[in-house]
Amino acid sequence: MAYQVTQLPSPLAKLGEGPVWDIDTQSLYYVDISTPAVLRYDYKENRTYSAKLDGADSISFLVLVAGKPDHFVIGENHRVMLIHWDGRSEKASHISTLADLGTTQSHVRFNDGKVDPSGRLYAGTMLLESVGDPNIQKDGQFFRYDNGTMVPLKRNVSISNGLTWDEPTNPLRMYYIDSPTLEVKAFDVDGEGDLKNETVFFDLRVNGTAPGYVPDGMTSDANGNLYVATWGGWKVLKVDKKTRKVLQEIKIPAEQVTSVAFGGPLLDELFVTSSLQGDKPAPAGALFKVTGLGVKGKPMHKMVL
């Protein structure tokens, strides 16, 4: 079945990331980490709204909040914040700081963050590029948010990235990417939300050789197959859950493909974010939509606060 890639009307993002489909508003929320901005693509209107947040140095992820349609939890540098945005105006406002990693972690920033089926937020950090090379220095960590604190689950992380869950499974399975490792790791998640039994689920190396790009954001479809964005690879890789082999390469007309999320009225359209970092030519930084994949995603979860 042939798929189609459509560029959607949106600002070209310096570092587009973290797409989240909201079933209630039929909108795709995402962020531009470097501008920084929060954005909302309105499916019905076919237009994208963008807002700034005063005082934010970076906005690395955005998640929906259960029961509060105009509240969002974001990663802002080394803090996790609750913000208010009506989805249309050019300004979002700060409500409260939910967690702060403190001055000892001011050299890192949050990167990818997502909510699991129980409404728990997971998010990881990476070294600020102004400080050093995050590909080499493993100054990042991976956390679970728990009532005002970030509980470290993994240390010595380079660039904490893609996150998705295979559900319903017992125990719950989580997939996770630390980009420079060129691997997708799998974990079992216990009742407390802690990680057990770490294994390498998928290695991007071909016959032991690095492919020339790294894995970035990630999602999964209703069958549990993974969709891995490739930074530097011009594509999204569909990885079979059972065979752990690449089932399909979905070509995207942007080199730096950052993340993916299923959405649309039937959850059968794949939204793809990208980056123009390094002055890549348009349509780098665009928001794309892939149709005709013949699969459906799963509803994305909201954070229980």
Side-chain angles (χ1 to χ4, degrees):
M1 190 173 184
Y3 63 85
Q4 296 82 38
V5 179
T6 308
Q7 180 183 342
L8 299 174
S10 65
L12 297 180
K14 290 181 189 172
L15 187 49
E17 259 290 4
V20 181
W21 178 257
D22 181 18
I23 286 178
D24 297 334
T25 61
Q26 290 290 296
S27 299
L28 185 87
Y29 289 90
Y30 64 109
V31 299
D32 182 346
I33 295 179
S34 307
T35 291
V38 292
L39 301 102
R40 179 180 74 90
Y41 169 71
D42 187 303
Y43 190 91
K44 196 172 170 187
E45 293 180 22
N46 193 33
R47 71 171 280 193
T48 299
Y49 295 87
S50 174
K52 301 263 178 68
L53 179 70
D54 285 343
D57 291 329
S58 68
I59 301 176
S60 54
F61 67 81
L62 172 149
V63 298
L64 310 170
V65 177
K68 296 190 174 173
D70 52 359
H71 287 49
F72 305 90
V73 171
I74 63 163
E76 192 277 319
N77 257 38
H78 57 284
R79 291 172 287 272
V80 176
M81 290 183 172
L82 181 65
I83 65 166
H84 175 272
W85 184 38
D86 62 10
R88 289 180 180 272
S89 58
E90 293 177 7
K91 274 283 174 75
S93 57
H94 175 262
I95 296 174
S96 63
T97 299
L98 298 180
D100 189 331
L101 297 180
T103 49
T104 61
Q105 294 294 302
S106 60
H107 63 300
V108 302
R109 69 162 174 83
F110 276 102
N111 198 37
D112 216 347
K114 271 190 185 171
V115 176
D116 82 348
S118 299
R120 296 178 289 222
L121 172 69
Y122 289 78
T125 55
M126 59 179 276
L127 182 72
L128 288 168
E129 282 164 321
S130 57
V131 177
D133 185 347
N135 290 289
I136 298 166
Q137 289 174 253
K138 298 184 175 184
D139 283 22
Q141 298 179 73
F142 183 59
F143 302 92
R144 171 173 52 79
Y145 175 81
D146 187 7
N147 197 26
T149 54
M150 299 306 288
V151 179
L153 303 176
K154 231 176 132 48
R155 301 180 193 273
N156 302 315
V157 171
S158 300
I159 302 177
S160 191
N161 236 320
L163 264 171
T164 192
W165 290 265
D166 189 13
E167 53 184 290
T169 56
N170 190 14
L172 183 66
R173 294 276 283 166
M174 189 187 90
Y175 300 96
Y176 170 75
I177 289 168
D178 177 359
S179 291
T181 65
L182 301 176
E183 293 169 346
V184 178
K185 294 268 179 52
F187 301 86
D188 293 331
V189 185
D190 70 13
E192 300 299 306
D194 292 330
L195 307 181
K196 310 275 188 243
N197 306 325
E198 176 178 329
T199 55
V200 176
F201 173 80
F202 178 67
D203 188 333
L204 274 77
R205 294 171 190 83
V206 181
N207 300 322
T209 304
Y213 51 79
V214 298
D216 201 321
M218 171 172 59
T219 192
S220 42
D221 64 24
N223 300 317
N225 301 311
L226 301 186
Y227 295 74
V228 181
T230 64
W231 177 274
W234 302 89
K235 61 191 169 189
V236 175
L237 300 175
K238 178 182 181 179
V239 181
D240 186 283
K241 171 180 152 180
K242 296 188 177 69
T243 65
R244 306 185 181 196
K245 299 272 192 289
V246 175
L247 273 181
Q248 187 178 21
E249 293 193 353
I250 303 160
K251 306 284 188 199
I252 303 295
E255 183 179 347
Q256 295 165 164
V257 185
T258 53
S259 196
V260 283
F262 280 99
L266 302 175
L267 292 178
D268 61 349
E269 301 170 47
L270 186 70
F271 292 90
V272 182
T273 53
S274 67
S275 166
L276 59 72
Q277 195 167 291
D279 294 324
K280 301 292 181 191
L287 176 65
F288 301 96
K289 178 174 80 169
V290 186
T291 52
L293 289 170
V295 294
K296 284 190 177 188
K298 299 167 291 194
M300 294 187 77
H301 301 289
K302 301 188 179 190
M303 185 172 173
V304 176
L305 266 183

